[in-house]
Amino acid sequence: MDYYKLNFTPEKSDLIPELHERVANRMYNLFTSNGGLYIKIGQAIGANAAFLPKPMQVKFARLFDDAPQIPFSTVDQVFRSELGRPPCGPGGVFEIFEEQAVASASIAQVHRAKLWPQPGDTEEKWVAVKVQKPDVAKQMEWDLGAYRAVMWMFENWAFDLPVYFIVDFISDHLRQELDFVNEANNARKTAEFVANEPRLADSVYIPTVYPEYSTKKVMTAEWIEGVRLSDRPAICALMGESNPLDSPSSLPASMPTKPLRGGVKAIMQVMVELFSAQMFNWGWVHCDPHPGNVIIRPHPSKPTRPQLVLIDHGLYVSVEENFKRQWVELWKGMLAGDFDSVEHVTKQWGMGLPDLVASATLMKPTRLRRPEMRKGETKEASIKRREREAAFQEKMKNMSQYELSVLMKKRLKEFLTDTDRMPKALIFLSRNMRMVQGLFPKRLNIELANIFYTGNNQSLGSPVNRIKITGFWASRSLTQAPHLSFTQRLREWWHYLVFRSVMFSLDLAFWKNKISIWIRRHLGLRPGEGFEDEMERTMRGLAKSNLGVDVSPSAFEG
């Protein structure tokens, strides 16, 4: 930390990019050499790295790659400790247990297994077995203590930015991820919510958990045959759509050769609606919805249609009713461009810069409408203020690296005016929304695209209007709130109808973009930007003008 402060000076302004590079390398090496929870913490920082220096954005993105696997001998020890039997063989838990894991993450790895046949079974039952890595549990409290110390030093010694306030909240949720009984309960609770939502019950599925084969360190759930949303070429092949990157695609043998109906739009419509329902209706939000945790399969009873399967239920946040209502009001105000409505909510949350709050939440540049003159401001003072703002924007173009970094710190402090009042759930809600939008570097070659591709709304060509769908769920949720009188419910329905009329302008922008792309494609020209791509470009410009920081094109990856 002292190393950073000693070198972060006006005299060494030209060397600051190199300083950021060295610090990024040291932090990355710290996380990867310690492994386990350190990787998870690094991923948490990486998921919120949009406003960190570019070297940190690039370096931390690598922490999302597959983690090393533990050997089968260690898996066997975990089984004998947790379930009193080996994973397979004579007296084993399963008839078949594949020693090679099919996936590995920072906390656990997943193996494919087959249940012993039971009387009355008509078909084989294959399951996914999630096994916790022993070192994670052993090191957790030491690692969290180190994390707490590092975040304190970040705030008080190194960067002088408010970051320590999130430590307890994130630590508590990281501990919950290590309890697979808790994860099993989360999965069952989510399955109940889905089953009781008519708009999602048929199009979304949560795999069944087998409690008799599950403990705090081992969890067994039904095996799902399908295609992960992260495998874009296979998703396009499954849905019968062309792959713009022309990457080679390979569908699993269990998938149908005839494309499913509805195209990619059907998938993304369901995905955006699912996470909108979680945020605005259920108040129960899956906080790790990266495309690797979403599987698309043919519907079991309607094999020509796709069904979305959501897995990995270790990390959820429960949203209180008061915050949920504020969250809805914030969304309505943001989409209507109403400065007063947004400011009313953000002030309660101890946050300044309402325009930046709206832009960061929507992942699109948002200029909120406000009076020409602020309260108590004369016309002459208003003119002078706007002139000063314009002059400052011009001055920023010639600032040094040091000046821009100082400006960024100042603006971020204005953004978080009172961290005690900020709802901590916002950290995970924002992460959830970024993952659903999932920006991704467009100009990668085929090999890199296959490694880093995140099959989400933008990466699949923005087939649905994400913001419109989310906004409608937000507004309509108020009409379905419990304990409303007839008059109150009637008022909420009126507000909802007014909101829909305001959203018509967003519809026009979306379809204008889609028609433009269609015309250019049929004229043999380059299609141009998709709806999300255009918002990304202008969002990066907004971050530059408001915070004085260059946001990487991949900064909002899931």
Side-chain angles (χ1 to χ4, degrees):
M1 300 302 172
D2 289 335
Y3 170 81
Y4 186 88
K5 297 200 79 169
L6 287 172
N7 288 276
F8 187 76
T9 63
E11 295 77 16
K12 298 181 180 180
S13 179
D14 294 339
L15 299 177
I16 286 178
E18 295 179 18
L19 172 65
H20 288 154
E21 184 77 41
R22 290 195 296 273
V23 172
N25 286 332
R26 290 185 179 187
M27 293 177 66
Y28 177 82
N29 292 336
L30 169 69
F31 292 133
T32 54
S33 60
N34 284 281
L37 198 58
Y38 276 85
I39 292 179
K40 200 74 180 176
I41 293 169
Q43 290 174 340
I45 297 173
N48 295 276
F51 300 117
L52 292 178
K54 280 187 177 180
M56 295 184 185
Q57 295 174 11
V58 173
K59 206 71 178 176
F60 278 64
R62 293 172 57 185
L63 291 171
F64 290 95
D65 295 344
D66 280 347
Q69 296 188 14
I70 56 174
F72 179 71
S73 59
T74 305
V75 173
D76 183 80
Q77 291 173 10
V78 173
F79 262 80
R80 293 176 185 273
S81 173
E82 291 293 306
L83 294 165
R85 293 184 287 164
C88 58
V93 178
F94 303 104
E95 181 182 11
I96 299 173
F97 187 91
E98 296 179 357
E99 294 188 11
Q100 183 68 27
V102 295
S104 180
S106 58
I107 288 176
Q109 61 190 44
V110 177
H111 294 258
R112 189 168 180 261
K114 179 176 173 288
L115 297 181
W116 289 101
Q118 300 294 321
D121 284 352
T122 58
E123 58 184 23
E124 296 179 341
K125 291 184 178 179
W126 287 87
V127 292
V129 186
K130 186 174 182 179
V131 182
Q132 188 174 129
K133 299 176 179 179
D135 290 344
V136 173
K138 292 177 182 177
Q139 295 179 7
M140 181 183 66
E141 293 306 323
W142 286 102
D143 291 349
L144 287 177
Y147 167 61
R148 181 179 297 275
V150 168
M151 296 301 278
W152 187 89
M153 287 187 285
F154 268 30
E155 178 167 321
N156 294 280
W157 290 356
F159 301 110
D160 194 27
L161 288 174
V163 294
Y164 188 75
F165 75 98
I166 65 172
V167 168
D168 286 335
F169 187 78
I170 289 180
S171 297
D172 289 344
H173 281 79
L174 287 174
R175 289 188 183 98
Q176 292 175 23
E177 280 201 273
L178 297 181
D179 184 352
F180 290 173
V181 172
N182 179 66
E183 179 173 349
N185 292 333
N186 290 346
R188 282 191 286 269
K189 183 173 180 178
T190 304
E192 291 175 5
F193 276 124
V194 170
N196 293 322
E197 174 50 71
R199 292 169 287 183
L200 297 172
D202 196 47
S203 54
V204 175
Y205 184 74
I206 309 299
T208 301
V209 175
Y210 293 86
E212 63 271 32
Y213 306 117
S214 301
T215 69
K216 284 194 172 186
K217 295 183 180 180
V218 176
M219 191 182 80
T220 304
E222 86 181 272
W223 179 266
I224 300 295
E225 287 288 352
V227 178
R228 290 181 185 265
L229 202 60
S230 53
D231 188 352
R232 178 195 181 184
I235 285 291
C236 290
L238 180 67
M239 303 310 297
E241 296 195 2
S242 60
N243 176 15
L245 286 183
D246 295 323
S247 303
S249 62
S250 177
L251 278 176
S254 59
M255 293 296 99
T257 55
K258 186 177 180 180
L260 303 182
R261 296 169 59 184
V264 171
K265 178 180 179 181
I267 296 173
M268 295 315 305
Q269 178 88 18
V270 171
M271 186 169 181
V272 175
E273 289 188 345
L274 171 61
F275 290 106
S276 297
Q278 291 181 7
M279 288 190 294
F280 303 119
N281 290 62
W282 309 338
W284 177 247
V285 184
H286 188 298
C287 295
D288 200 16
H290 63 76
N293 285 339
V294 178
I295 298 173
I296 305 301
R297 69 171 182 177
H299 195 292
S301 60
K302 303 172 185 175
T304 61
R305 294 185 177 276
Q307 186 179 59
L308 187 151
V309 182
L310 184 64
I311 62 174
D312 197 350
H313 299 272
L315 185 58
Y316 274 79
V317 291
S318 182
V319 179
E320 297 177 355
E321 194 63 36
N322 183 53
F323 168 76
K324 188 168 69 173
R325 186 174 186 86
Q326 291 174 328
W327 184 236
V328 170
E329 293 293 350
L330 179 75
W331 263 85
K332 289 175 64 177
M334 290 186 302
L335 293 181
D338 186 347
F339 179 85
D340 290 338
S341 296
V342 174
E343 186 180 45
H344 176 71
V345 175
T346 56
K347 278 188 173 180
Q348 294 180 64
W349 292 351
M351 301 170 74
L353 303 178
D355 287 300
L356 191 58
V357 174
S359 300
T361 303
L362 295 175
M363 293 299 146
K364 66 183 283 286
T366 305
R367 295 292 187 186
L368 304 171
R369 295 192 309 271
R370 69 198 78 192
E372 286 292 317
M373 293 187 296
R374 296 175 179 174
K375 289 183 179 179
E377 189 177 52
T378 64
K379 184 177 181 179
E380 182 179 350
S382 176
I383 293 173
K384 290 183 177 179
R385 173 178 53 80
R386 291 198 297 273
E387 289 176 348
R388 287 195 304 270
E389 291 172 353
F392 182 74
Q393 294 293 333
E394 189 65 28
K395 180 182 177 183
M396 281 181 58
K397 297 177 181 179
N398 300 314
M399 283 185 175
S400 68
Q401 287 285 337
Y402 175 81
E403 290 170 328
L404 286 172
S405 297
V406 171
L407 173 63
M408 181 186 73
K409 290 182 182 181
K410 179 176 180 293
R411 291 293 175 85
L412 285 175
K413 287 181 178 179
E414 293 173 1
F415 180 63
L416 294 173
T417 59
D418 186 348
T419 55
D420 289 336
R421 286 192 289 153
M422 176 186 165
K424 307 305 182 289
L426 275 176
I427 298 166
F428 287 113
L429 287 181
S430 299
R431 182 172 184 260
N432 174 297
M433 294 180 64
R434 282 200 303 278
M435 286 183 172
V436 173
Q437 182 195 17
L439 302 180
F440 136 93
K442 310 300 180 300
R443 295 175 177 84
L444 293 176
N445 58 37
I446 292 176
E447 180 182 0
L448 285 177
N450 285 334
I451 295 172
F452 292 111
Y453 207 86
T454 55
N456 44 39
N457 190 42
Q458 182 180 8
S459 62
L460 290 169
S462 305
V464 297
N465 193 331
R466 169 185 58 88
I467 295 175
K468 173 193 168 187
I469 295 170
T470 309
F472 282 169
W473 275 80
S475 184
R476 189 171 181 180
S477 69
L478 293 179
T479 69
Q480 301 169 330
H483 314 305
L484 289 182
S485 66
F486 175 78
T487 304
Q488 290 172 325
R489 199 171 300 279
L490 193 63
R491 185 184 302 114
E492 293 298 348
W493 270 105
W494 169 250
H495 290 162
Y496 173 65
L497 293 175
V498 170
F499 179 75
R500 286 197 69 113
S501 66
V502 172
M503 286 297 93
F504 183 67
S505 62
L506 190 62
D507 253 350
L508 291 178
F510 178 76
W511 285 108
K512 173 179 174 290
N513 178 270
K514 298 291 281 187
I515 291 170
S516 172
I517 291 175
W518 183 86
I519 292 174
R520 293 180 65 85
R521 183 177 289 122
H522 281 76
L523 290 177
L525 303 173
R526 291 187 62 182
E529 297 176 313
F531 190 56
E532 301 275 8
D533 300 320
E534 183 179 349
M535 288 195 288
E536 173 197 346
R537 175 175 50 79
T538 44
M539 179 65 192
R540 291 170 63 203
L542 185 76
K544 177 72 173 178
S545 63
N546 276 274
L547 291 174
V549 63
D550 287 314
V551 179
S552 166
S554 61
F556 301 112
E557 280 186 20

